[in-house]
Amino acid sequence: MFSDNIYDPLSLPQILGYIATIFGIIGFQQKDDTRLKIFVLMMSVFIISHFILMGSYTAAIMAVLAASRWGLSIFVGVRKRAHIFVPLFIALFVTSAALTFQNWYDLLPSLASICATFGLFYYTRIRLRLILLFASSMWLTHNIFALSYGPIIMEGFIFFSNAIMIVRFAIENKKLPRDPKDSFLSRFF
């Protein structure tokens, strides 16, 4: 049913990446930070499986740690203890990357995860999404070099979804003027 070639766009690892893409797209369009985090956790289940089957173990470990971090960041009490959790996650990301990387681009998920850790524990709304936008660009670069088709699409959508949400929050906060009624851009906000 599935191709044995992991780089075939219809292989099982790639299909798992496509499913992760769907959860990622839905998640990053959420205004509510908790809903965003829940969808990202669902996305993580598929992306972890994708990276394991692709043999990209550094990315898989980063995704497991990131899923743990996303899950913990949902709880308000945990955010109050960010001074404990942030250094812990950073140490785990650095150690995991040092032990598993095979190519220079394998280090990008670690850097992305470190940036996202700061964002998830210390920021909300626009600032959180700006940091996630930067982290997404590092994951996108990794996925391009790793030939992970589903995650390339996913990170591209996540990148643009974050950018759109940043604009939506800015408009909502009255930092940007609203587009004139019935204009092209008004359909998206």
Side-chain angles (χ1 to χ4, degrees):
M1 181 171 164
F2 299 110
S3 171
D4 290 335
N5 178 358
I6 62 172
Y7 300 110
D8 183 332
L10 297 178
S11 66
L12 179 61
Q14 300 296 353
I15 289 171
L16 292 172
Y18 302 141
I19 295 169
T21 300
I22 293 166
F23 283 111
I25 291 167
I26 294 169
F28 281 95
Q29 283 301 304
Q30 303 299 313
K31 278 186 161 184
D32 179 73
D33 289 345
T34 301
R35 288 183 59 142
L36 161 71
K37 293 171 185 181
I38 290 169
F39 273 100
V40 169
L41 284 171
M42 292 186 290
M43 173 193 81
S44 297
V45 171
F46 292 98
I47 205 70
I48 291 163
S49 302
H50 164 82
F51 284 130
I52 289 170
L53 293 174
M54 292 291 294
S56 190
Y57 301 114
T58 302
I61 291 170
M62 293 304 127
V64 167
L65 293 172
S68 304
R69 180 203 57 211
W70 279 93
L72 275 175
S73 71
I74 291 172
F75 302 102
V76 176
V78 173
R79 288 192 62 178
K80 291 178 182 176
R81 292 179 184 80
H83 64 282
I84 296 168
F85 288 106
V86 169
L88 172 68
F89 276 110
I90 290 172
L92 289 170
F93 289 131
V94 169
T95 303
S96 299
L99 294 174
T100 61
F101 86 97
Q102 297 171 346
N103 301 296
W104 67 269
Y105 57 84
D106 287 333
L107 298 175
L108 294 174
S110 180
L111 294 172
S113 297
I114 290 168
C115 292
T117 299
F118 280 102
L120 288 167
F121 282 98
Y122 293 118
Y123 300 104
T124 60
R125 298 181 55 91
I126 291 178
R127 287 186 179 150
L128 169 61
R129 281 157 180 87
L130 283 169
I131 292 168
L132 294 177
L133 188 72
F134 179 70
S136 181
S137 68
M138 286 188 268
W139 272 103
L140 179 60
T141 304
H142 166 270
N143 295 336
I144 290 169
F145 283 101
L147 298 176
S148 295
Y149 305 122
I152 290 170
I153 295 166
M154 179 183 70
E155 288 301 335
F157 275 110
I158 288 172
F159 184 88
F160 287 109
S161 291
N162 267 318
I164 289 168
M165 285 306 297
I166 290 165
V167 171
R168 289 176 71 186
F169 281 138
I171 289 170
E172 186 178 287
N173 293 343
K174 309 255 189 275
K175 292 181 182 174
L176 289 177
R178 219 175 236 295
D179 204 35
K181 190 174 183 178
D182 298 326
S183 73
F184 173 75
L185 290 176
S186 66
R187 294 180 208 153
F188 300 103
F189 304 110

